[in-house]
Amino acid sequence: MSESIARLRFAPSPTGLLHIGGLRTALYNYLLARQLGGAFVLRIEDTDQKRFVEGAEADIFRSLQWAGISIDEGPQEGGPHGPYRQSERRDVYREHAEMLVAKGAAYYAFDTEEEIELMRARYREAGIESAGYGVRTRGEMRNSLTLPVDEVESLLSQEVPHVVRLKVPAGRTVQLSDLIRGDVSFESDVIDDQVLMKSDGLPTYHLAVVVDDHLMNITHVVRGEDWLSSTPKHLLLYEAFGWTAPKMAHLPLILSPSGGKLSKRNAEKMGIPVTVRQYVEAGYEPDALVNFLALLGWHPADDRELFSMDDLIRAFDINRVGLAGVQFDLDKLNWFNQQHLRSLTDSELASLGRPFVEEKGYEVSDAALESVAALLKERITFARELADVTYLFADPAAFDAKGVKKRWSIEAAERLTWLEAHLSSLSNEQWTASTIHDEAEKALLARDVPLGKVMPVFRLALTGETSGPELFPLIEYLGRDTVVRRLRNAPALIGTSPE
RNA sequence: GCCGCGUUCGUCUAGGGGUUUAGGACGCCGCCCUUUCACGGCGGUAACACGGGUUCAAAUCCCGUACGCGGUACCA
């Protein structure tokens, strides 16, 4: 047994599209696994038939892949500890539950839902808000602890619906050393006799997670804080089996900007995407999302903020994960997206933008699109914005009304004709940003007009806009023919433009 | 209700007894750069939940209160 090899897992339930919080949990597990040179395992926790959603599993696979989180063992990859879908491991859980019953650490319970509810109602009347099925109450219930042995035998042989419950020891303090939170302890008397096997023959999460984590040699369990309260049950299970529990780390939860839980409804109201799918569709770059998510709750020893996945693997430190819930801030995510776009080469940016450009029906060569990327790189937040600057692909049909009002005049039109005449005579070799600049200046200076005086109209005539990328590189990109044509057409188009 | 976990600028956070006039980033505002916009640079705005202790000294340690979050299922 090679105990020294770290093994971490992400164990989502296929109950819907992968949640952004789930992706963060997966990421932290992945980072630690890679950093420790260990394995990253994906396990599908589909023990609740009622909540199963068709297609959810496929969404988990593609979302992780999109984010750049590679899986070593899982339903698709296989591996020595499979199957990696809990629904395919029923017998394993049944056997383990029976082991516990045989050891006296668990027992059969035959109570119906109504009977349990009756018990709770009794306690409620007596002023006890929520009496659990546990140390204090199991003696009053119908189970293999209270019923005569032969009756239990007969109920079992008649296949009367029943569950298997954990027999929580009385009067114990269960200690947990959390990697993030330090020591946390719980009194066993307030821990429920958790159902381990449901009457449908499937295990509950609690049994399955312990059995699988052990059988799959998981060394570190990194999961959301919402699991902290049930961890003592898991610890008691490890103890009952005689197994060593893995190291535990409970991550702070992601909160909505309004402070509450980042639920689907809540988040959608605030315009925040909740599922990974929505982030993909909104045009976020996987690297940016990963970077943002890593910093949502974790902070490096220095003040660095921009990390690639490899950087993260190197720098990540579970001890530096914060304790408090974190609010989601879309502005910051957008900033990360912008930063990541800027770190790309022109050619990489161009490929990211190409689908959007083609979607709008423009045909552009790779070289031209690279120029577009260079022109726009420092002024976009999303790759799709490459396609939004339509005058880079087609002559402007409309002209900014305020700009026209401010800049357009007979005099301005005349100056443009001087530019047109001069620029049209330039050779291909002369068609570079700096030469065009010098020649334009020359043409205007001959009539005693400074270039700066004309640049705003020049831009307006060429693009229809009053602002945008640097003018001369833009002109170089547009090319002589286009520039001359647009200059020539502008007066008529602007003249007929509505005010 | 009970159990558990939290609480530093609006947000993500650094700091974990004296180095702090509490630092960085996002956002916001201003100035500079740029004959546009953006980028960039500079500057500004803005926080230790509250109350008790411990100590020469507390944002930092302890207790309490408040507030927030999670759990309290034959859901995960």
Side-chain angles (χ1 to χ4, degrees):
Chain A
M1 186 152 299
S2 42
E3 309 253 349
S4 58
I5 293 175
R7 291 176 56 81
L8 289 90
R9 53 36 169 210
F10 175 50
S13 293
T15 55
L17 296 178
L18 184 60
H19 191 275
I20 189 71
L23 182 62
R24 187 188 60 155
T25 302
L27 175 64
Y28 283 26
N29 274 286
Y30 174 77
L31 292 178
L32 240 197
R34 287 288 170 269
Q35 180 174 81
L36 298 172
F40 178 63
V41 180
L42 176 67
R43 188 175 67 224
I44 300 295
E45 309 237 327
D46 54 351
T47 54
D48 186 1
Q49 302 162 306
K50 294 184 220 85
R51 297 214 303 161
F52 179 80
V53 172
E54 192 64 42
E57 190 183 282
D59 183 68
I60 291 167
F61 297 152
R62 68 175 171 168
S63 294
L64 293 178
Q65 187 181 29
W66 174 81
I69 295 174
S70 58
I71 298 157
D72 299 314
E73 296 172 29
Q76 290 185 309
E77 298 71 15
H81 303 282
Y84 294 90
R85 234 177 240 114
Q86 292 187 328
S87 58
E88 295 167 14
R89 301 168 63 83
R90 296 165 194 241
D91 295 346
V92 177
Y93 309 120
R94 176 101 251 161
E95 283 164 25
H96 281 81
E98 300 296 345
M99 278 167 53
L100 254 22
V101 174
K103 284 180 162 188
Y107 59 92
Y108 299 109
F110 303 93
D111 317 86
T112 62
E113 274 179 53
E114 294 70 35
E115 288 169 325
I116 294 173
E117 187 38 50
L118 245 34
M119 178 271 285
R120 293 210 167 101
R122 269 205 312 280
Y123 278 92
R124 257 199 302 278
E125 268 169 50
I128 294 169
E129 214 22 70
S130 63
Y133 195 127
V135 172
R136 290 191 280 244
T137 55
R138 61 180 167 236
E140 325 163 5
M141 308 304 287
R142 297 177 56 236
N143 53 50
S144 61
L145 264 21
T146 60
L147 266 20
V149 180
D150 53 343
E151 189 177 344
V152 172
E153 298 278 305
S154 108
L155 286 169
L156 288 177
S157 64
Q158 287 169 58
E159 294 185 5
V160 170
H162 63 277
V163 299
V164 174
R165 282 181 184 272
L166 173 66
K167 188 179 169 191
V168 173
R172 284 269 311 279
T173 300
V174 182
Q175 269 269 333
L176 150 73
S177 284
D178 190 272
L179 257 26
I180 295 171
R181 270 150 232 284
D183 291 345
V184 181
S185 58
F186 300 81
E187 295 308 316
S188 68
D189 291 4
V190 299
I191 300 172
D192 278 6
D193 280 357
Q194 182 62 51
V195 168
L196 267 19
M197 291 296 292
K198 298 180 274 190
S199 53
D200 65 4
L202 284 171
T204 58
Y205 169 84
H206 305 282
L207 203 225
V209 78
V210 167
V211 168
D212 286 346
D213 281 343
H214 178 259
L215 262 24
M216 296 181 182
N217 293 327
I218 298 302
T219 55
H220 305 251
V221 170
V222 179
R223 68 219 316 187
E225 194 191 348
D226 43 349
W227 291 113
L228 188 59
S229 298
S230 34
T231 303
K233 292 171 186 173
H234 304 167
L235 260 16
L236 254 14
L237 275 171
Y238 279 104
E239 185 181 297
F241 280 119
W243 298 337
T244 305
K247 293 192 173 87
M248 303 276 188
H250 290 89
L251 267 22
L253 264 22
I254 298 179
L255 272 24
S256 124
S258 59
K261 192 178 181 181
L262 188 68
S263 67
K264 281 195 170 72
R265 187 182 304 166
N266 185 348
E268 262 152 30
K269 222 183 332 183
M270 315 223 40
I272 294 174
V274 253
T275 64
V276 177
R277 192 68 359 221
Q278 288 173 305
Y279 284 88
V280 176
E281 282 160 12
Y284 287 99
E285 299 305 320
D287 288 352
L289 221 214
V290 161
N291 194 157
F292 170 71
L293 249 22
L295 258 8
L296 202 59
W298 168 76
H299 193 277
D302 56 22
D303 279 327
R304 242 183 107 195
E305 299 222 82
L306 267 15
F307 291 89
S308 67
M309 187 69 95
D310 285 342
D311 294 337
L312 287 171
I313 290 168
R314 253 172 267 128
F316 186 71
D317 180 355
I318 194 87
N319 295 309
R320 291 189 64 86
V321 173
L323 306 174
V326 289
Q327 288 186 29
F328 203 91
D329 180 11
L330 214 51
D331 280 337
K332 188 99 182 226
L333 206 214
N334 290 341
W335 179 77
F336 275 110
N337 211 64
Q338 183 191 347
Q339 294 300 314
H340 278 265
L341 251 25
R342 292 181 51 195
S343 72
L344 265 26
T345 64
D346 294 346
S347 140
E348 288 168 333
L349 219 205
S351 333
L352 286 179
R354 178 162 286 285
F356 302 106
V357 172
E358 286 176 356
E359 196 179 293
K360 292 203 170 183
Y362 301 124
E363 279 179 34
V364 195
S365 72
D366 285 345
L369 202 51
E370 273 185 42
S371 302
V372 168
L375 249 18
L376 263 23
K377 191 186 277 182
E378 303 210 316
R379 49 202 91 213
I380 59 174
T381 301
F382 294 97
R384 68 149 49 85
E385 291 172 51
L386 285 192
D388 292 344
V389 187
T390 55
Y391 61 74
L392 294 175
F393 311 108
D395 289 0
F399 293 80
D400 182 80
K402 272 167 87 179
V404 169
K405 195 169 182 180
K406 191 172 174 193
R407 307 287 184 190
W408 193 247
S409 64
I410 304 290
E411 190 182 41
E414 188 186 15
R415 289 167 176 173
L416 291 183
T417 62
W418 302 340
L419 284 174
E420 182 213 315
H422 195 90
L423 262 27
S424 64
S425 68
L426 295 184
S427 69
N428 289 340
E429 290 69 40
Q430 287 174 299
W431 200 259
T432 64
S434 72
T435 306
I436 296 165
H437 169 273
D438 295 348
E439 292 299 325
E441 193 164 43
K442 205 189 290 176
L444 292 167
L445 245 30
R447 272 99 165 179
D448 261 342
V449 177
L451 175 60
K453 204 81 176 145
V454 183
M455 279 176 65
V457 226
F458 199 1
R459 178 186 296 279
L460 184 69
L462 253 22
T463 70
E465 314 253 333
T466 55
S467 65
E470 276 191 81
L471 192 53
F472 292 99
L474 171 64
I475 291 172
E476 178 187 325
Y477 157 78
L478 254 19
R480 194 182 51 221
D481 294 348
T482 299
V483 168
V484 168
R485 183 179 65 247
R486 290 187 186 182
L487 246 22
R488 207 165 274 165
N489 293 342
L493 288 168
I494 293 175
T496 59
S497 292
E499 187 67 5

